[in-house]
């Protein structure tokens, strides 16, 4: 393997003097951060409106949600109250989006690798069990021990929105961990709803549901017009679940788990690009439709549906659900009853204490036993804040209250408990995160390499045991990284076997739309032992990194093309690039190239002479530290006698 040889191309003087990493576009930022915050705030606002409405005009509140609706034709009709329509129909759409997320995470997301999934899975399971045990202990003798399901679930919408509101800076890895945990938590909660809180069960309609589910599975093979088929069969499955006595919201989960999810193939992307170029040359309606259809079909229907339904779930369905279910009377009598209610106290203790102890305790144990993988940046204090935030069990807790408790007075007590627990959990998480941030301000954030170099994982050029280490976080399309690559070639030539050079990914997604694809392609080449050769090919021609260009380079390098194309769409390759990006975020890396010399961030110029001086200084410091350790070692030995 040879050191990467690159063309020394100076950056355009008209370009900005720094390119920033991990800065999404305005639209992307609104979707990811603004949308989650807005959704969480809408949920809070709807809750407050429901409480005010229920207390200012309780009869009107009850009468409105008890409004009867009839849907059907002739003798075939369904009778619903408005409250039931929200809880049975609208919430089925919410659970459908949850199911889509579950399917995606287990197929191409965080839960595809056992080592990666072990920690959030253990945390989620303990986050289900510990609150249940605490609730049963506190509510013992109340007669409502069967309502333990109220405390099992974490509200995913509040979890993500709360993290966006009060979480730490650079919370990407914590957010990924909590989302994976929430997915497993949702699976557990939905399973408990199906197994424990289904009262009247009629098996025959489930045969109709099974036929509908088989139809949904095979719809993926229909060449066009799949949307109406999916919609029709989903309604059939939902009606069959309703008729069977199994809560119809679970139909949303079942349907979602049957919807296919996959990463876009290079052939599909290339075909879409070819049609787009054809439309550019001949802008006709026919070519526009063909290009649009090809672009849409290159993305899995799972991800398209998530994008389509997410705004409606966040901005309509969940706020309406809160409006329909959070109308707790907070009169003196209700509050007095809740203050002495074992059910209310069981809910508060289970959610606030149980979630914190269950999630944080299991995570700490798994980490110490070395059973799972936790990346850099997931400190104990940050995990504690995330565990506290898991105590916000709003949506599913209110949902299960209606299933588990049939006494209106006890329902009110339980709802008070859920609201109090959610407020306390959010306040506790806020306090932990604020204390963590104050502590980290005095620390050397980003000055120390958080993930040690691992020859088994990293792309290392040079002797693995070399005394000097240079780690670069870079982007294959960045002109500054290209110039630095030529400089590093000089440094490697000067230091020879005394230096090991390590490349890690920090693609500038805002400036370089192909940067992530290039990084993933280099990882696919690395699986065939050709990382640095592929790196060189990417740097030599930064302007051409379209899918066809990437495949052409792989073929020119003599790679096994079938394996290369298969690896390009694998979850392992995507996770490897994402890990580097999350590491970079955790170290507050906002510009590339960013260099670390012997584990310390380099802040000086990147020319060859400056790097050589910095490396030699680091080597001297390492030798001095070794000598000091050797001199102090004999004095630390116990004397014999």
């Amino acid at each position: 393997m040879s050191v990467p040889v690159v063309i020394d191309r100076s950056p355009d003087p008209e370009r900005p003097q720094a390119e920033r990493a991990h800065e999404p576009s305005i639209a992307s930022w609104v979707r990811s951060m603004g949308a989650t915050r807005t959704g969480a705030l809408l949920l809070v606002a709807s809750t407050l409106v429901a409480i005010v409405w229920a207390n200012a005009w309780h009869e009107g509140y009850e009468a409105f949600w008890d409004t009867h609706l009839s849907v059907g034709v002739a003798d075939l009709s369904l009778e619903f109250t408005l409250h039931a329509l929200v809880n049975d129909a609208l919430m089925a759409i919410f659970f459908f989006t949850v199911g889509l997320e579950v399917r995606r995470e287990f197929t191409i997301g965080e839960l595809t690798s056992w080592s990666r999934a072990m920690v959030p899975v253990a945390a989620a399971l303990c986050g289900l069990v510990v609150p249940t045990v605490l609730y049963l202990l506190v509510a013992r003798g109340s007669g409502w021990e069967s309502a333990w399901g109220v405390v099992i679930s974490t509200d995913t919408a509040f979890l993500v929105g709360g993290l966006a509101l009060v979480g730490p800076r650079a919370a990407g890895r914590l957010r990924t961990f909590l989302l994976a945990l929430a997915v497993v938590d949702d699976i557990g909660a939905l399973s408990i709803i199906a197994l424990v809180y289904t009262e009247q069960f009629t098996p025959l309609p489930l045969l109709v549901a099974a036929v509908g589910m088989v139809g949904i599975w095979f719809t993926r093979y229909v060449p066009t017009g799949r949307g109406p088929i999916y919609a029709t069969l989903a309604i059939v499955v939902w009606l069959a679940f309703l008729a069977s006595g199994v809560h119809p919201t679970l139909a949303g989960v079942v349907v979602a788990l049957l919807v296919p999810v996959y990463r876009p193939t290079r052939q599909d992307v290339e075909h879409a690009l070819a049609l787009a170029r054809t439309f550019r040359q001949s802008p006709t309606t026919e070519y526009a439709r063909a290009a649009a259809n090809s672009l849409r079909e290159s993305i899995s229907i799972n991800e398209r549906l998530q994008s389509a339904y997410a705004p409606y779930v966040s901005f309509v369905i969940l706020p309406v659900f809160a409006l329909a279910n959070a109308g707790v009377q907070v009169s003196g009598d209700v509050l007095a009853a809740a203050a002495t209610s074992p059910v209310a106290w069981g809910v508060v203790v289970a959610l606030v204490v149980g979630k914190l102890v269950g999630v944080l305790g299991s995570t700490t144990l798994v980490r110490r036993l070395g059973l799972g993988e936790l990346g850099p940046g997931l400190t104990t204090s940050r995990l504690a804040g995330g565990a506290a935030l898991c105590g916000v069990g709003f949506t599913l807790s209110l949902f299960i209250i209606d299933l588990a408790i049939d006494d209106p007075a006890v329902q009110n007590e339980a709802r008070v408990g859920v609201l109090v627990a959610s407020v306390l959990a959010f306040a506790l998480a806020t306090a932990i995160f604020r204390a963590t941030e104050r502590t980290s301000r005095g620390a050397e954030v980003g000055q120390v390499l958080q993930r040690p170099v691992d020859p088994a994982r990293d792309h290392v050029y040079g002797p693995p045991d070399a005394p000097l280490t240079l780690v670069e976080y870079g982007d294959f399309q960045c002109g500054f990284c290209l110039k630095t690559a030529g400089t590093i070639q000089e440094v490697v030539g000067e230091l020879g076997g005394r230096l090991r050079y390590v490349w890690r990914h920090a693609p500038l997604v805002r400036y370089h739309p192909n940067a992530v694809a290039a990084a993933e392609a280099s990882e696919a080449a690395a699986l065939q032992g050709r990382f640095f050769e592929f790196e060189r090919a990417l740097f030599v021609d930064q302007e051409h990194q379209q899918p066809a260009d990437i495949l052409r380079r792989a073929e020119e390098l003599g790679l096994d093309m079938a394996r290369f194309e298969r690896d390009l769409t694998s979850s392992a390759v995507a996770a490897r690039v994402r890990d580097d990006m999350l590491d970079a975020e955790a170290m507050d890396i906002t510009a590339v190239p960013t260099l670390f010399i012997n584990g310390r961030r380099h802040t000086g110029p990147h020319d060859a002479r400056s790097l050589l001086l910095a490396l030699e200084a680091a080597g001297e410091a390492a030798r001095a530290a070794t000598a000091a350790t050797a001199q102090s070692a004999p004095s630390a030995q116990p004397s014999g006698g």
Side-chain angles (χ1 to χ4, degrees):
M1 182 183 299
S2 60
V3 65
V5 178
V6 299
I7 300 172
D8 184 8
R9 184 191 308 160
S10 298
D12 187 339
E14 295 299 319
R15 290 178 73 178
Q17 289 304 303
E19 289 183 298
R20 316 303 293 181
H22 316 301
E23 281 189 25
S25 64
I26 294 298
S28 175
W29 182 87
V30 168
R31 284 195 300 271
S32 62
M33 297 299 289
T36 53
R37 292 182 180 184
T38 303
L41 292 174
L42 272 177
L43 203 53
V44 172
S46 297
T47 302
L48 295 176
V49 169
I51 293 172
V52 171
W53 183 5
N55 285 273
W57 188 27
H58 183 69
E59 294 79 8
Y61 179 84
E62 292 290 338
F64 178 80
W65 294 111
D66 198 43
T67 301
H68 283 262
L69 304 172
S70 179
V71 180
V73 178
D75 294 333
L76 297 175
S77 63
L78 293 174
E79 299 288 337
F80 285 101
T81 65
L82 195 55
H83 184 267
L85 184 66
V86 171
N87 283 16
D88 293 351
L90 289 186
M91 286 303 286
I93 300 175
F94 165 73
F95 285 118
F96 176 71
T97 62
V98 171
L100 292 174
E101 181 95 21
V102 169
R103 176 66 191 275
R104 185 188 185 283
E105 290 301 315
F106 274 100
T107 305
I108 62 174
E110 283 296 301
L111 302 179
T112 54
S113 163
W114 176 246
S115 64
R116 187 177 299 274
M118 179 64 184
V119 183
V121 167
L125 293 177
C126 290
L128 294 170
V129 172
V130 175
T132 299
V133 172
L134 288 179
Y135 174 83
L136 292 174
L137 289 174
V138 176
R140 182 177 51 190
S142 67
W144 295 104
E145 292 87 348
S146 60
W148 56 269
V150 173
V151 303
I152 58 176
S153 183
T154 293
D155 190 303
T156 304
F158 263 125
L159 182 68
V160 176
L163 188 64
L165 286 169
V166 302
R169 292 182 64 243
R173 196 179 294 282
L174 178 61
R175 185 179 187 274
T176 301
F177 169 81
L178 291 177
L179 278 176
L181 181 155
V183 165
V184 181
D185 181 279
D186 286 335
I187 293 173
L190 296 172
S191 301
I192 288 167
I193 290 173
L195 297 174
V196 178
Y197 297 112
T198 295
E199 296 179 353
Q200 298 177 346
F201 176 61
T202 305
L204 187 59
L206 290 184
L207 294 177
V208 177
V211 173
M213 288 185 282
V214 171
I216 290 171
W217 173 266
F218 283 105
T219 299
R220 69 186 65 193
Y221 300 110
V222 177
T224 58
R226 293 189 293 270
I229 300 175
Y230 275 124
T232 302
L233 292 175
I235 293 172
V236 170
V237 171
W238 182 83
L239 290 172
F241 269 69
L242 181 68
S244 72
V246 177
H247 204 280
T249 53
L250 297 178
V253 180
V254 173
V255 170
L257 294 178
L258 296 172
V259 173
V261 59
Y262 49 82
R263 300 191 69 219
T265 65
R266 298 293 163 181
Q267 294 91 336
D268 289 341
V269 173
E270 190 64 28
H271 180 62
L273 287 172
L275 287 174
R277 284 193 291 267
T278 302
F279 171 71
R280 182 180 181 182
Q281 295 167 359
S282 180
T284 65
T285 303
E286 180 182 357
Y287 287 137
R289 185 182 302 111
N293 288 338
S294 182
L295 286 168
R296 184 176 60 253
E297 293 298 324
S298 67
I299 305 297
S300 73
I301 190 170
N302 176 291
E303 293 178 284
R304 299 204 304 270
L305 288 172
Q306 282 194 64
S307 298
Y309 281 104
Y312 297 102
V313 169
S314 296
F315 303 142
V316 179
I317 292 175
L318 289 179
V320 169
F321 171 81
L323 201 61
N325 290 273
V328 182
Q329 284 188 291
V330 289
S331 64
D333 292 341
V334 172
L335 293 178
T340 59
S341 168
V343 172
W345 279 107
V347 170
V348 172
V349 172
L351 286 175
V352 178
V353 179
K355 284 291 184 180
L356 176 61
V357 172
V359 172
L360 182 59
S362 60
T363 303
T364 303
L365 181 61
V366 170
R367 169 182 267 174
R368 290 189 175 180
L369 293 176
L371 298 178
E373 178 185 341
L374 275 175
L378 278 181
T379 60
T380 301
S381 55
R382 285 192 171 187
L383 288 170
L389 203 55
C390 289
V392 181
F394 188 82
T395 303
L396 273 178
S397 293
L398 293 177
F399 184 77
I400 295 176
I401 284 173
D402 279 343
L403 302 179
I405 303 172
D406 54 17
D407 185 327
V410 180
Q411 284 182 346
N412 270 340
E413 294 168 9
R415 290 190 184 109
V416 170
V418 169
L419 295 177
V420 171
S422 298
V423 171
L424 290 177
F426 185 80
L428 179 60
T430 302
I432 294 173
F433 283 135
R434 291 293 178 266
T436 301
E437 289 300 288
R438 281 197 298 271
T439 303
S440 65
R441 287 194 194 105
E444 295 180 304
V445 177
Q447 297 305 305
V448 178
L449 189 68
Q450 292 197 18
R451 186 191 291 272
V453 174
D454 180 1
R457 172 193 184 274
D458 283 309
H459 307 298
V460 180
Y461 177 83
D465 57 349
L468 300 175
T469 300
L470 180 62
V471 177
E472 176 181 3
Y473 279 86
D475 175 331
F476 291 128
Q477 286 192 288
C478 171
F480 295 97
C481 295
L482 172 63
K483 186 175 180 65
T484 300
T487 301
I488 290 173
Q489 180 185 356
E490 295 181 42
V491 173
V492 170
E494 183 72 24
L495 296 176
R498 296 171 55 205
L499 175 69
R500 61 175 181 175
Y501 165 71
V502 179
W503 170 277
R504 290 178 178 172
H505 304 287
L508 302 172
V509 294
R510 178 179 183 181
Y511 297 104
H512 305 139
N514 297 322
V516 172
E520 291 177 351
S522 72
E523 291 299 328
L527 294 177
Q528 299 186 43
R530 307 295 292 277
F531 174 82
F532 283 109
E533 290 91 334
F534 204 89
E535 177 205 43
R536 180 175 64 224
L538 290 170
F539 269 137
V540 164
D541 190 6
Q542 291 184 314
E543 301 303 321
H544 297 91
Q545 296 191 9
Q546 298 292 335
D549 303 315
I550 286 173
L551 294 175
R552 173 176 50 79
R553 291 191 182 99
E555 190 171 10
E556 290 171 353
L557 289 174
L559 299 181
D560 180 337
M561 292 303 296
R563 179 184 174 188
F564 180 78
E565 293 190 48
R566 186 169 61 251
D567 290 337
L568 275 177
T569 60
S570 72
S571 58
V573 161
R576 174 64 177 78
V577 174
R578 184 171 62 246
D579 272 350
D580 277 359
M581 294 175 68
L582 290 172
D583 289 351
E585 183 194 42
M587 293 183 292
D588 199 27
I589 293 176
T590 57
V592 293
T594 293
L595 305 177
F596 289 83
I597 295 176
N598 276 15
R600 300 286 304 181
R601 192 165 185 162
H602 175 67
T603 56
H606 290 179
D607 61 279
R609 177 175 174 78
S610 297
L611 289 180
L612 284 169
L613 289 174
L615 284 162
E616 291 292 358
E620 288 292 338
R623 285 191 290 272
T626 302
T629 302
Q631 289 177 0
S632 61
S635 62
Q637 298 296 327
S639 58

